[in-house]
Amino acid sequence: MREDWIQPILDEARSKGLERSALPYPEAGGKIKIDGKEVLNFSSNDYLDLAHHRHVMDCSREALDQYGIGSTASRLVTGTLPIHEELEERLAKKKGYEAALIFGSGYMANAGTIPLLAGRNDFIFADKLVHASMIDACKLSGAKLVRFAHNDVQSLETRLKQFPNTGNRKLIITESVFSMDGDIAPLAKIAALAEKYDSMLMVDEAHSTGTFGPHGAGLVRELGLEKSVTVSMGTMSKAMAGYGGFVACSKNLRTLLVQSARAFIYTTAPPPATIGAALGIMDVLESSPRLGAILQANADYFRSLLHAGDLNTLQSQSQIIPIVIGNNERAVAVSKTLRDQGIIATAIRPPTVPDGSARLRLSITLAHHIDDLDRAAEAIISVLNS
Ligand SMILES: Cc1ncc(COP(=O)(O)O)c(C=O)c1O
């Protein structure tokens, strides 16, 4: 068997403190029981605590009962069900766009969309910290990838000036809430630059969908930038608590994606139970418009506790709160100590974050009550300051 090249790679990762493993958890969500003991999970993306919401589970079950376990074909064959179309209409309306298109996951939404917006002779200007799914999509596109400094509009403008219009397409990509830093892109300024330099703009709203904006519509909508942002991408896997991805865009772009987006065409349509769940989430977001605001107020409170304990949370302004530790092994050791105290705060290491910036990435969810936040902050401060 010609697998002798694998062990050295694994050994090297281990020696750098970068070994990864997928540990099984007995439950999902922000507050879970492990061996009968209540544990606070600060590594769940179920920001609004909806993964076990009764109405959402009922909607998922109804879809399962009505349509069965699978869509049984790709969307362009016979996999499109009425609930796929209903969800797309509701997502488009929520996001303030003409149309929306669902993909199998957020990763696939990026992988399917970016290569259609820019191709071999085009330019993509990407924030230095955009998610791996966007970077992979850029590579897939064959476009020239130009990086600009994180959230730095001057750096973006410099790069845009370096590549004057020659009839090629330009695309700027960024996130509204950054997945590992929890900070917020200066979207209005980036949108103004996109207009000035005749560039398209795509914003990954994986972490602001559900958590910001009117009825959880996200930051693009909150800032009224729907007309300047060509594509607002989102996932159903974070605050929407389930699985799947989507883009909101113009009708024309949707039509083009349906014709040509490989990650849309060459894969089976998302299964009924996940679409049913997403429809249930849409109901909850409509009927409980303040969930995102409560979450952000709790995150503000938690940050203030950490700051009072002299901890630095970078520029976080959202439910995602990083505490940079730096050294990989120390980050893992801190995470383990906290886990022993009933607090899950997974260490995030390179290449997910830049070298030397291993961190605890804490996510606040509505499963965490104020006294949970007090307890967690006290434990984190004491472990990090010891
Ligand atoms: C910013 C960002 N974009 C895209 C994705 C991919 O979304 P999904 O988990 O639905 O594939 C993620 C999540 O991992 C993310 O954090």
Side-chain angles (χ1 to χ4, degrees):
M1 253 189 283
R2 307 222 27 93
E3 293 190 8
D4 42 355
W5 53 275
I6 296 176
Q7 198 58 47
I9 297 176
L10 298 178
D11 291 344
E12 193 190 344
R14 188 169 308 136
S15 74
K16 291 181 175 163
L18 290 175
E19 191 180 29
R20 297 169 180 237
S21 55
L23 291 178
Y25 280 85
E27 291 178 20
K31 206 186 245 184
I32 58 183
K33 281 215 166 78
I34 298 183
D35 297 333
K37 208 177 111 201
E38 191 168 87
V39 167
L40 297 175
N41 182 2
F42 283 87
S43 296
S44 161
N45 291 326
D46 181 13
Y47 301 128
L48 301 180
D49 193 29
L50 296 179
H52 297 92
H53 191 284
R54 190 163 297 281
H55 173 71
V56 174
M57 288 172 69
D58 285 346
C59 289
S60 180
R61 241 180 255 115
E62 270 168 36
L64 178 73
D65 288 343
Q66 185 167 355
Y67 298 105
I69 63 159
S71 299
T72 76
S74 64
R75 287 287 299 273
L76 291 183
V77 181
T78 58
T80 296
L81 300 169
I83 49 175
H84 290 111
E85 292 189 326
E86 182 189 342
L87 180 59
E88 285 172 344
E89 273 166 31
R90 289 179 69 179
L91 285 168
K93 196 157 164 240
K94 172 170 289 299
K95 291 282 180 176
Y97 280 78
E98 284 178 357
L101 188 68
I102 300 168
F103 288 81
S105 69
Y107 187 102
M108 289 166 79
N110 281 333
T113 306
I114 290 175
L116 276 203
L117 295 177
R120 202 170 293 282
N121 299 313
D122 303 323
F123 296 96
I124 301 179
F125 301 87
D127 184 287
K128 196 88 186 112
L129 293 189
V130 290
H131 190 256
S133 58
M134 291 194 118
I135 295 303
D136 291 356
C138 293
K139 290 182 185 157
L140 207 54
S141 76
K144 176 160 177 56
L145 178 58
V146 182
R147 309 299 293 269
F148 62 93
H150 177 53
N151 277 349
D152 183 336
V153 279
Q154 268 176 356
S155 164
L156 171 59
E157 182 153 26
T158 307
R159 300 282 182 274
L160 287 163
K161 276 187 187 151
Q162 275 173 336
F163 298 93
N165 271 351
T166 52
N168 301 325
R169 276 183 254 153
K170 292 180 177 183
L171 168 67
I172 301 168
I173 57 175
T174 191
E175 292 174 28
S176 43
V177 169
F178 278 84
S179 63
M180 293 297 140
D181 287 46
D183 54 354
I184 291 178
L187 287 180
K189 289 183 179 158
I190 292 176
L193 283 183
E195 304 253 338
K196 182 171 169 188
Y197 290 91
D198 199 18
S199 171
M200 293 174 287
L201 171 58
M202 175 164 170
V203 178
D204 181 326
E205 298 225 79
H207 299 277
S208 66
T209 299
T211 58
F212 282 92
H215 297 269
L219 274 166
V220 169
R221 180 103 206 237
E222 175 158 296
L223 298 169
L225 293 172
E226 303 94 314
K227 295 274 173 302
S228 329
V229 174
T230 319
V231 177
S232 160
M233 171 271 178
T235 67
M236 292 163 320
S237 59
K238 319 287 182 204
M240 290 180 72
Y243 197 67
F246 64 92
V247 291
C249 57
S250 67
K251 276 191 180 149
N252 251 4
L253 179 54
R254 182 187 186 277
T255 304
L256 180 69
L257 289 166
V258 168
Q259 310 309 305
S260 314
R262 297 172 70 85
F264 173 79
I265 299 170
Y266 299 107
T267 188
T268 300
T274 65
I275 300 299
L279 286 167
I281 296 279
M282 300 295 281
D283 294 340
V284 175
L285 292 177
E286 289 318 306
S287 61
S288 312
R290 286 198 32 79
L291 293 180
I294 297 167
L295 177 71
Q296 298 312 331
N298 289 0
D300 282 345
Y301 174 71
F302 192 62
R303 259 190 306 274
S304 72
L305 296 177
L306 297 177
H307 293 167
D310 271 343
L311 295 182
N312 180 342
T313 59
L314 301 180
Q315 303 301 315
S316 162
Q317 293 177 64
S318 68
Q319 72 282 0
I320 299 168
I321 304 182
I323 302 177
V324 174
I325 293 173
N327 177 278
N328 298 332
E329 283 88 354
R330 175 152 153 78
V332 173
V334 167
S335 170
K336 185 167 179 324
T337 308
L338 286 170
R339 195 191 155 101
D340 292 342
Q341 297 180 20
I343 291 163
I344 297 173
T346 309
I348 307 286
R349 293 163 289 166
T352 307
V353 292
D355 275 336
S357 75
R359 66 193 64 184
L360 302 180
R361 176 215 186 252
L362 306 167
S363 50
I364 308 303
T365 82
L366 291 182
H368 306 139
H369 298 137
I370 292 300
D371 49 341
D372 297 326
L373 298 179
D374 290 337
R375 177 164 93 73
E378 198 182 323
I380 292 167
I381 291 165
S382 136
V383 170
L384 280 168
N385 288 336
S386 64

